[in-house]
Amino acid sequence: MSNAIERKQTAASGETLVDVQDLKKYYGGNGFFAPPPVKAVDTVNFEIKRGETFGLVGESGSGKSTLGRTLVRLEQATDGSVSFDGTDITELSGSELKKWRSNAQMVFQDPESSLNDRMTVGEIIREPLDAHGWKTKSERRERVTELLSEVGLREEHYFRYPHQFSGGQRQRIGIARALALEPEFIVLDEPVSALDVSVQAKIITLLEDLQEEFDLTYLFIAHDLSVVRHICDRVAVMYLGKIMEIGDTEELYEDPQNPYTQALLSAIPRPDPTVTIDRITLPGTPPSPRDPPQGCQFSTRCPAKIRPEAYADVPDETWDAVEQLREVIRERSRMSLSATDQMRKRLGRFSRFDDIDETVEDLFEELSVPQAVQDHVQHAVELVKDGEPEEARTYLRDEFGGVCDTTRPDHHQVSASGRESYCHRHDAEYDDVTAVLSKYSDGA
Ligand code: ADP
């Protein structure tokens, strides 16, 4: 760990290499009849310092890979800017782009499929050099031999094919290829996730050694939170295309401030089973990035969501049932009606959602439900039965939604070192996140 702390201090004094401003990457959504776009990356801001390892964590589908690919121009940004040493690379094209590309490379998760099995290892590593017309042919071959040795492979491996190698060795080939043009910046997209644990450690050590030797700056993408803690100086936690919390790694792991970070970290298995963990179980599944919540991206699952003042006295279990009903109706509103359903709706014989009564009974049975809540739930149920789940969804949001449902939070600074968290709870008028979450922990 002392190694990580030393690196952190080095990086903290460094200058900015990559500056990301209001970056968006949307897929699809063009054209009048097109469905709404997938908002894979939705307005993110951060900097990566020269020489640091910057981690990107979050569940699958949160937009990590898309963000990584956009930073190295494997994807074109929808909006915003990505500046390297002050140059906005989202604007580059033609020969300028080609020249810049040598400076930023990517290592992929799956060394199996990311290497062309019809090429020899030597050809694979040499390909970027050939493409950039790097020096003479014999110098290129010499460079490949040198790279093989840098990543712990041998000269005679030049004429072998990828399938003759183990997973760890194939990842070494991928790393050698990424290093060929002497880049400053490398995006490592889950570089060890597909490898055995013992091999993972070796590849991590190799990446650390190469970083020191060649002054590399890394963006390290992972869903394995322990690896990130070990290797990264700073980390950003992503959810549904948004950065929820960002800051110094040790600090963030020791004292997470965002409800999503707290939930994510509480799920890490601990080596000592006798230590009590307050595991936070998140309800539901992440919403579709085509239809993200209107307020905070995490609001549909957040255990620390702020309740509107008018319902402050509703018992917790009853309020949880209200939230679950909203989730059920939200999911239903996403299902499009079949042609038969449309016809039945027109004929006033719409029955597809008849079981909504049963759901309500299951949810609220044995609970004390204030009359006002009952009335609103009943109204929403009628809308669902009329085949209008979208209206029911909006009605419930208007009635039971608080600031988290309706308004995007700000990024609040939550520590002296400049860590930021994206959550309304950091506004002085609301209770602190930790105080609220403690009642949701199952203590398991
Ligand atoms: P992560 O790396 O965190 O698993 P991704 O960046 O791969 O997340 O994906 C983020 C979202 O963008 C997902 O919902 C995914 O389905 C969507 N997505 C990724 N690539 C494309 C694409 N080429 N076209 C459409 N949607 C995509």
Side-chain angles (χ1 to χ4, degrees), residues 206-226:
L206 171 68
L207 289 168
E208 288 180 316
D209 291 347
L210 293 169
Q211 179 172 44
E212 206 175 302
E213 190 175 347
F214 300 115
D215 293 329
L216 297 168
T217 303
Y218 289 150
L219 176 73
F220 189 95
I221 298 174
H223 65 268
D224 182 335
L225 295 157
S226 326

Side-chain angles (χ1 to χ4, degrees), residues 90-140:
T90 63
E91 303 280 329
L92 296 181
S93 60
S95 60
E96 276 184 336
L97 176 60
K98 188 174 173 194
K99 188 159 164 253
W100 176 80
R101 274 192 195 287
S102 63
N103 207 24
Q105 297 290 319
M106 188 141 177
V107 172
F108 298 91
Q109 171 180 357
D110 188 0
E112 190 94 29
S113 59
S114 60
L115 302 178
N116 186 341
D117 239 337
R118 289 164 179 273
M119 289 164 80
T120 65
V121 168
E123 284 165 350
I124 289 171
I125 301 173
R126 214 185 58 213
E127 198 184 32
L129 298 169
D130 293 341
H132 277 81
W134 192 86
K135 300 192 180 171
T136 64
K137 197 163 181 198
S138 68
E139 282 171 310
R140 294 206 279 271

Side-chain angles (χ1 to χ4, degrees), residues 240-259:
L240 216 62
K242 198 84 191 162
I243 292 180
M244 307 304 289
E245 186 162 358
I246 178 169
D248 175 273
T249 307
E250 258 325 286
E251 217 189 272
L252 186 141
Y253 276 66
E254 281 298 317
D255 176 33
Q257 289 292 310
N258 189 278

Side-chain angles (χ1 to χ4, degrees), residues 263-309:
L264 202 62
L265 292 179
S266 80
I268 305 182
R270 312 274 157 134
D272 180 356
T274 60
V275 174
T276 321
I277 324 157
D278 287 338
R279 181 183 286 259
I280 302 163
T281 314
L282 292 180
T285 48
S288 158
R290 269 191 207 285
D291 184 20
Q294 182 183 314
C296 171
Q297 275 78 353
F298 188 46
S299 61
T300 57
R301 298 172 79 204
C302 182
K305 191 159 121 177
I306 296 159
R307 222 193 264 191
E309 202 55 40

Side-chain angles (χ1 to χ4, degrees), residues 317-376:
E317 293 82 17
T318 308
W319 193 253
D320 288 346
V322 168
E323 290 290 354
Q324 282 190 50
L325 177 68
R326 291 183 60 195
E327 164 88 9
V328 167
I329 293 181
R330 201 162 35 236
E331 285 307 315
R332 287 187 174 184
S333 71
R334 287 204 187 108
M335 302 173 193
S336 56
L337 298 180
S338 70
T340 327
D341 285 338
Q342 305 257 20
M343 179 65 79
R344 290 162 75 192
K345 187 176 155 191
R346 277 206 288 277
L347 296 173
R349 278 191 258 132
F350 191 74
S351 63
R352 182 169 144 204
F353 295 138
D354 274 358
D355 62 336
I356 189 74
D357 281 328
E358 223 170 282
T359 307
V360 170
E361 206 179 304
D362 285 348
L363 283 171
F364 292 95
E365 204 180 24
E366 294 171 19
L367 292 178
S368 133
V369 188
Q371 192 58 47
V373 174
Q374 277 187 37
D375 291 347
H376 293 307

Side-chain angles (χ1 to χ4, degrees), residues 27 38 40 58-67 69 75 189 221 289:
Y27 292 107
V38 173
E59 290 162 291
S60 171
S62 55
K64 306 180 298 294
S65 277
T66 303
L67 177 53
R69 291 197 309 266
E75 299 279 358
D189 190 357
I221 298 174

Side-chain angles (χ1 to χ4, degrees), residues 28-37:
N30 303 319
F32 194 67
F33 295 107

